[in-house]
Amino acid sequence: MDYIYSGKSDASIDRSIDKILESYNKYGGINLDEACNFPNRQNVISVLQDLQYLIFPSYRTNEHVDSQTLRFVTGERVHRIISMLTKEIRKALLYVINNPVVEQSHCFQLAEQTARALIEEIPEIRRKIGLDVQASYNGDPAAKSSNEVIVSYPGLEAITVYRLAHFLQTSGVPVIPRIMSEYAHGHTGIDIHPGAEIGESFFIDHGTGVVIGETCIIGKNVKIYQGVTLGALSVKKEFMNKKRHPTIEDNVTIYANATILGGETVIGEGCTIGGNTWITHPVPPHTMLTQSNGREVAQQLPKN
């Protein structure tokens, strides 16, 4: 039988409410409007969904759009993004500064400038993502069309969110890029830190379990498969501002469940890294590296 709230006071429920309120004071974790509050996750996700719409209109919604209504629908979303994102960026800036004497108008101005800059960058982001789509189509024999890639490939969705979040990250926006990337992580199983630097024509095939760390640098025309980790050798807090993750140069393929660790680890141009390999050292360009019976096997590949 479903419980129906009668509106009548119940002393035991009132006591429970009091204890919950006490826990807010004791343990924190409350995001009040009148404080220098944290960005609202749902608002950020709503902005992200509008941004994804601008990247690929009508691919992931049931909204009817034609050539006559496209300008109106695009304009509506642009204005909504600028308004909501400005508010959330302002919250993030004030929270990080955490200084009551800071002029809130200055944070608002900076937030609005950043939101507008992201909108201005959308055509260039779309160009890069278009190359990612083409790389996915070219790199997967199962792909029947670019449209199929756009509407159904989790790797592309994760890369799209990364490219949007990365712009905000490099623009100095705190917190919000991580909210976006972790939302994509939950949806796709692919964890790309927005601080990573990823070149054009990037393809993640299948994708589940892929991890790309904050200081990772990835060149152009790189392809990675499910379960690949581009991580750090150590997660100690004192390494926070140091390069902890590997560099992957152009035209590299990394097969499933390979683990590549360390800020000084460079995978040279044109390498192929076999599945289930564990790498913590540089690999020369044009090398095929695999593991057999726990030992590395390196083979020189011909240069293109």
Side-chain angles (χ1 to χ4, degrees), residues 47-280:
V47 167
L48 178 59
Q49 290 170 340
D50 277 342
L51 286 166
Q52 288 178 284
Y53 183 93
L54 293 184
I55 301 299
F56 294 119
S58 292
Y59 272 89
R60 294 176 177 269
T61 68
N62 61 1
E63 183 176 11
H64 174 72
V65 178
D66 55 31
S67 58
Q68 302 301 313
T69 59
L70 182 59
R71 181 177 181 84
F72 171 79
V73 171
T74 301
E76 183 182 41
R77 278 183 164 81
V78 165
H79 285 286
R80 190 163 63 209
I81 289 166
I82 292 173
S83 176
M84 189 174 292
L85 186 56
T86 295
K87 293 176 183 177
E88 298 306 318
I89 293 175
R90 174 181 167 275
K91 290 179 187 177
L93 293 173
L94 288 171
Y95 183 87
V96 170
I97 294 170
N98 195 25
N99 187 337
V101 302
V102 169
E103 290 187 16
Q104 295 197 19
S105 61
H106 175 70
C107 284
F108 179 86
Q109 183 181 19
L110 184 58
E112 186 179 40
Q113 288 173 352
T114 305
R116 287 176 176 268
L118 175 58
I119 293 300
E120 291 175 3
E121 189 69 10
I122 289 298
E124 173 61 11
I125 293 174
R126 292 195 77 245
R127 183 192 70 83
K128 291 179 180 178
I129 295 171
L131 294 174
D132 299 327
V133 171
Q134 193 61 44
S136 300
Y137 174 70
N138 292 342
D140 185 3
K144 301 300 187 291
S145 69
S146 295
N147 287 332
E148 180 184 352
V149 172
I150 291 169
V151 79
S152 63
Y153 276 42
L156 181 70
E157 182 175 358
I159 295 166
T160 298
V161 173
Y162 156 77
R163 297 209 183 277
L164 293 164
H166 180 71
F167 178 86
L168 295 175
Q169 179 87 4
T170 56
S171 299
V173 176
V175 181
I176 289 172
R178 287 304 304 274
I179 295 174
M180 290 180 170
S181 62
E182 289 306 322
Y183 172 77
H185 182 192
H187 267 248
T188 66
I190 299 167
D191 184 1
I192 308 177
H193 194 287
E197 298 178 23
I198 301 177
E200 297 176 353
S201 299
F202 184 47
F203 177 31
I204 300 175
D205 201 0
H206 305 296
T208 304
V210 166
V211 176
I212 300 174
E214 178 184 18
T215 62
C216 192
I217 299 174
I218 298 175
K220 297 179 181 179
N221 303 309
V222 171
K223 178 179 182 179
I224 65 178
Y225 286 80
Q226 70 273 16
V228 167
T229 297
L230 305 179
L233 277 168
S234 175
V235 293
K236 294 179 180 179
K237 206 66 175 178
E238 55 262 35
F239 297 145
M240 178 187 297
N241 297 316
K242 296 183 179 180
K243 190 176 188 307
R244 308 180 303 281
H245 305 94
T247 295
I248 312 298
E249 294 186 344
D250 297 348
N251 305 308
V252 169
T253 299
I254 307 173
Y255 283 99
N257 300 312
T259 298
I260 305 173
L261 306 178
E264 297 183 1
T265 302
V266 178
I267 306 301
E269 180 180 358
C271 284
T272 297
I273 304 301
N276 299 302
T277 51
W278 178 278
I279 302 171
T280 59

